[in-house]
Amino acid sequence: VCVCLSVSCLVLSCLCAPSSPLQGPTMQQGEGVETEVTWEDQQNINTFGRLNNKFHELEDEIKAKKDMAENLEDASNELILTDDEVIRYQLGEVFCHMQREDVESRLETLKEENQEQLEYLEKERDSVLAKMSELKRILYGKFKDSINLEED
């Protein structure tokens, strides 16, 4: 019996050897040494895959927040350059006329909220990376070159 796993972009490559019905699947490492894949190992591999997916989702969200910060900064700069006291401000899909001071305060509030969310996402990403590093250490420690947890 052999179980070879594919986790998102990551691949657990293995050379499988027959195992007895009482043992779990085994992986043959490069030196010909067999290592049993335990339930805990399977859970660690699955957890690593989920964390990897979450990492990529967080990266996408962080990129979107950085783009939003740049857009808000551009809007603030454009507001400085204009002489109008009444500004067209977009709310959802419509534009409404608002006083310049109101628009400035809304933009500042949006920039602050966006920055807080960006900091939270970056902390979350760092936490996920730390957990992934720990799982890599555990899995590479057991399976050595029989497992590949790096991005392709």
Side-chain angles (χ1 to χ4, degrees):
V1 174
C2 176
V3 176
C4 292
L5 302 174
S6 175
V7 180
S8 181
C9 303
L10 310 170
V11 177
L12 170 62
S13 59
C14 61
L15 300 170
C16 299
S19 58
S20 73
L22 300 177
Q23 293 180 337
T26 60
M27 291 177 54
Q28 185 174 2
Q29 296 180 354
E31 301 86 38
V33 179
E34 291 185 5
T35 305
E36 184 177 345
V37 180
T38 64
W39 181 84
E40 183 180 339
D41 297 332
Q42 293 279 337
Q43 295 305 308
N44 285 339
I45 293 166
N46 293 342
T47 300
F48 185 88
R50 285 190 299 274
L51 288 172
N52 187 53
N53 289 339
K54 184 171 185 167
F55 170 76
H56 287 290
E57 290 170 3
L58 288 169
E59 283 287 300
D60 292 342
E61 289 180 42
I62 288 170
K63 184 183 181 313
K65 292 294 178 189
K66 286 182 178 179
D67 290 344
M68 174 69 115
E70 189 176 314
N71 290 340
L72 290 171
E73 190 61 37
D74 289 346
S76 292
N77 291 340
E78 287 295 322
L79 190 59
I80 292 171
L81 297 176
T82 186
D83 295 332
D84 299 336
E85 284 303 312
V86 177
I87 308 295
R88 289 181 39 199
Y89 185 83
Q90 185 176 2
L91 291 172
E93 295 181 11
V94 298
F95 287 91
C96 62
H97 294 276
M98 294 179 67
Q99 293 298 317
R100 179 189 192 101
E101 296 82 29
D102 293 338
V103 173
E104 287 173 351
S105 67
R106 282 181 182 246
L107 283 176
E108 286 305 313
T109 302
L110 286 172
K111 286 198 291 191
E112 290 169 7
E113 290 173 358
N114 191 62
Q115 185 61 33
E116 289 172 6
Q117 292 169 355
L118 180 61
E119 289 170 4
Y120 172 79
L121 290 171
E122 288 174 340
K123 286 179 186 175
E124 183 77 15
R125 180 195 58 197
D126 293 343
S127 171
V128 166
L129 279 175
K131 291 175 188 174
M132 288 173 67
S133 294
E134 179 62 19
L135 286 171
K136 276 185 183 182
R137 185 187 63 75
I138 292 168
L139 292 169
Y140 279 133
K142 181 165 184 179
F143 298 112
K144 298 184 183 22
D145 62 348
S146 295
I147 189 168
N148 180 14
L149 300 173
E150 303 302 322
E151 298 287 332
D152 288 1

